[in-house]
Amino acid sequence: MSVKTPITVAHGDGIGPEIMDATIKILLAAGAQLDIEEIEIGEKVYMKGNSAGIAPEAWDSLRRTKVFLKAPITTPQGGGFKSLNVTTRKTLGLYANVRPCISYHPYVSTKHPKMDLVIIRENEEDLYAGIEHRQTDEVTQCLKLISRPGCEKIVRYAFEYALAYGRKKVTCFTKDNIMKLTDGLFHKVFDEIATEYPQIENEHWIVDIGAAKMADTPENFDVIVMPNLYGDVLSDIAAQITGSVGLAGSANIGDGIAMFEAIHGSAPRRAGQNLANPSGLLLGAVQMLVYIGQPEVAEKVHNAWLKTMEDGVHTYDIFKEGTSTEKVGTKEFAEAVVARVGQSPSKLNAVKYGSGKQIATKPVSTTKAKKETVGVDIFLHWTEADGQKNADVLGEELVKCTHNGMKLKMITNRGLKVYPNGFAETFCTDHWRCRYQKPDEAPVSNADIIALMNVIDKAGFDIIKTENLCTFDGEAGFSLGQGQ
Ligand code: NAD
């Protein structure tokens, strides 16, 4: 008798319950050995006053099974509700989000008949750290955090994924021409790790032109790895241009724990009408079967699904007169896949998962550089008494504020240098970054910085935050002002 693998299942909101029922029905019909624990998440839990959308007992189940098959949920708008997806990914350390986007030409209508790419999205960092502040009347801020361990984990995962799945090339997208430190680190780690995989081609594109190329000629891409926000946006685009956002599944992988889902949301307008396409969740579940060591069942489900696509049995979102043969609802689609379990597609390529796909991980490097503080950026909320915002007026006041040789070096407004030698034409907000350093960028102490802040505070300025300027093994760990 086969041993059943415990998994946690959530039916979610909107179309979630319908597509989950369809998915489970197909998995069991193909012989999946699952011991299912059900948990409740999403709207009902939010409405009970739980702002995280998940009850404490549900976490216990996830910690026990370490495998989560999750239907989409509805995140209530506004009102302090936190996205459960982001919380789950971060709490469980699910650092890699794997989103295969494949076209099924000529059975599913698409402008890109040869598309077969996998987006590997970093899942825990970047602007999704969710650290946001309103700092002045006019300015709000969101912190973009990129860590070396975070980059190493996701980039290595992308190369290991390429090895396991026989893919030839890994492409990296960043915006490191602008964000030289954060995206620059992602790109640098990509270049470093790529050298460990000489058998796999590698390339880097700035995300804007990379995204344009992906939307225009997706057949030129294979595996694409990128920071969180770009991956979120571009994976929806990639899925949609295969024919429907309803076709793509996704795996969220951590160390010894994983979550599988569709990439789309709960589509509330389609809910309860037996209309939704369960394919995205089903293909997420196929990734789950490979992950839990049931690759032969994964292969059966995936090939039965491909055969259903090829036979033209389609839900409304991909149904097209002339291409499709039968328009079916969610339940009937599931029955059609079940009826084809054991069959393989004859025109589309059948999938093979063999004895499974092992994705190796490696401990992240721990480097410790020699760190030296060489100055401070002091951020001020400031306007003149009459509401004007003249950088020269501010600069002339701040040059009088000094301590132990630390002097005002420049002021920027929204990153652009406005003092000294700013332009009268530059639009300024009430948010000023004032950089203080000693001559020759000599080291400063925390006590120097605190004393300087006291001087500036006593002069009547509203300090909203500070950032230390540090060098690491002599290399500057801070950017210059634009125009500096
Ligand atoms: P959505 O992905 O739910 O739906 C957008 C549109 O895509 C739908 O109106 C429908 O036309 C189509 N669509 C999506 N899935 C489909 C399917 N399986 N079959 C057929 N058509 C499908 O996006 P939305 O409307 O922006 O978001 C609705 C809710 O889902 C929001 O509350 C959002 O926060 C949530 N959401 C949840 C997840 C998740 O749980 N992983 C992901 C994204 C959005």
Side-chain angles (χ1 to χ4, degrees):
M1 198 181 74
S2 318
V3 180
K4 292 190 172 184
T5 307
I7 66 166
T8 302
V9 166
H11 277 71
D13 302 317
I15 59 172
E18 298 161 76
I19 61 174
M20 183 58 84
D21 285 346
T23 297
I24 300 274
K25 183 174 177 172
I26 298 166
L27 299 188
L28 296 179
Q33 297 299 309
L34 304 172
D35 179 6
I36 294 174
E37 286 187 17
E38 302 235 358
I39 59 167
E40 198 171 60
I41 55 165
E43 237 176 347
K44 283 196 211 110
V45 185
Y46 283 117
M47 291 314 161
K48 280 184 200 151
N50 181 328
S51 67
I54 177 164
E57 327 63 271
W59 286 118
D60 296 340
S61 170
L62 292 173
R63 281 208 203 92
R64 203 167 36 243
T65 67
K66 300 194 186 318
V67 182
F68 187 15
L69 181 61
K70 177 185 149 295
I73 58 150
T74 303
T75 312
Q77 302 273 305
F81 298 111
K82 294 297 267 185
S83 160
L84 175 61
N85 295 316
V86 177
T87 306
T88 312
R89 289 169 189 157
K90 284 168 56 171
T91 308
L92 302 180
L94 308 178
Y95 62 89
N97 192 331
V98 183
R99 300 183 154 189
C101 298
I102 300 159
S103 58
Y104 305 97
H105 175 80
Y107 307 102
V108 177
S109 178
T110 168
K111 294 190 185 102
H112 302 287
K114 290 197 188 134
M115 179 168 177
D116 181 358
L117 60 84
V118 182
I119 291 185
I120 298 195
R121 162 188 172 192
E122 196 291 315
N123 226 7
E124 298 180 282
E125 308 195 333
D126 196 4
L127 291 155
Y128 287 67
I131 306 175
E132 292 193 288
H133 295 97
R134 177 170 171 180
Q135 296 185 312
T136 68
D137 287 318
E138 295 177 345
V139 175
T140 51
Q141 165 190 278
C142 176
L143 280 189
K144 175 170 165 116
L145 295 178
I146 302 272
S147 75
R148 176 170 269 276
C151 295
E152 285 184 11
K153 284 200 292 184
I154 192 68
V155 170
R156 187 171 301 286
Y157 189 90
F159 280 99
E160 285 293 331
Y161 181 96
L163 274 186
Y165 283 84
R167 291 188 172 261
K168 305 279 178 283
K169 181 168 77 171
V170 180
T171 305
C172 175
F173 285 175
T174 71
K175 189 76 186 171
D176 67 335
N177 54 333
I178 303 297
M179 285 161 278
K180 295 184 195 311
L181 291 184
T182 48
D183 280 21
L185 176 60
F186 198 97
H187 186 175
K188 189 170 160 191
V189 169
F190 176 79
D191 286 346
E192 285 169 15
I193 289 182
T195 61
E196 296 176 33
Y197 298 87
Q199 66 278 51
I200 295 174
E201 197 187 330
N202 71 81
E203 62 176 7
H204 171 270
W205 289 101
I206 299 292
V207 61
D208 38 14
I209 187 62
K213 282 174 174 290
M214 186 199 78
D216 187 43
T217 48
E219 62 276 13
N220 291 342
F221 292 93
D222 199 347
V223 174
I224 318 179
V225 63
M226 57 188 110
N228 206 335
L229 177 65
Y230 314 139
D232 188 3
V233 176
L234 296 189
S235 58
D236 264 35
I237 295 174
Q240 183 69 22
I241 65 176
T242 67
S244 166
V245 71
L247 287 174
S250 126
N252 297 265
I253 308 287
D255 291 327
I257 187 158
M259 170 169 88
F260 302 86
E261 58 184 345
I263 80 156
H264 60 76
S266 58
R269 278 178 304 151
R270 310 287 177 193
Q273 299 159 64
N274 191 35
L275 277 175
N277 187 347
S279 300
L281 185 60
L282 184 68
L283 294 180
V286 165
Q287 293 196 57
M288 177 187 79
L289 291 171
V290 176
Y291 177 87
I292 63 175
Q294 300 186 21
E296 66 297 343
V297 189
E299 203 168 293
K300 258 193 197 166
V301 172
H302 204 156
N303 285 328
W305 178 82
L306 285 166
K307 178 83 171 97
T308 312
M309 286 289 109
E310 193 180 273
D311 287 347
V313 183
H314 293 166
T315 43
Y316 85 94
D317 56 318
I318 53 170
F319 180 86
K320 198 162 180 220
E321 286 298 345
T323 311
S324 312
T325 54
E326 205 182 331
K327 191 185 214 168
V328 290
T330 316
K331 279 193 190 127
E332 297 72 29
F333 182 82
E335 283 158 14
V337 179
V338 168
R340 288 164 178 77
V341 167
Q343 298 180 34
S344 283
S346 49
K347 306 270 175 16
L348 290 169
N349 291 330
V351 293
K352 289 200 181 66
Y353 291 113
S355 54
K357 306 282 174 191
Q358 291 310 317
I359 305 214
T361 54
K362 211 175 145 181
V364 290
S365 62
T366 45
T367 50
K368 223 165 164 31
K370 184 173 180 297
K371 181 175 131 180
E372 209 157 46
T373 307
V374 295
V376 63
D377 279 345
I378 296 182
F379 290 75
L380 301 180
H381 178 184
W382 178 81
T383 50
E384 291 166 72
D386 60 1
Q388 296 291 306
K389 298 169 198 135
N390 184 324
D392 287 336
V393 172
L394 178 63
E396 277 150 31
E397 287 303 314
L398 287 179
V399 288
K400 294 180 207 156
C401 300
T402 62
H403 174 78
N404 196 18
M406 290 180 79
K407 289 200 176 108
L408 180 70
K409 192 158 182 187
M410 67 157 181
I411 302 175
T412 67
N413 197 292
R414 293 187 297 175
L416 179 77
K417 190 182 77 141
V418 291
Y419 181 89
N421 309 321
F423 280 39
E425 292 82 356
T426 302
F427 177 80
C428 287
T429 67
D430 57 0
H431 182 273
W432 309 82
R433 186 261 301 259
C434 311
R435 175 161 293 179
Y436 281 82
Q437 290 188 284
K438 288 187 176 175
D440 300 327
E441 304 195 352
V444 304
S445 66
N446 283 344
D448 281 341
I449 293 172
I450 293 163
L452 175 67
M453 286 170 69
N454 260 320
V455 173
I456 294 172
D457 182 60
K458 286 214 175 79
F461 289 101
D462 178 8
I463 299 175
I464 49 177
K465 78 161 189 170
T466 64
E467 292 281 357
N468 286 0
L469 306 178
C470 299
T471 58
F472 292 81
D473 288 337
E475 200 179 309
F478 50 92
S479 54
L480 299 178
Q482 267 154 24
Q484 191 185 357

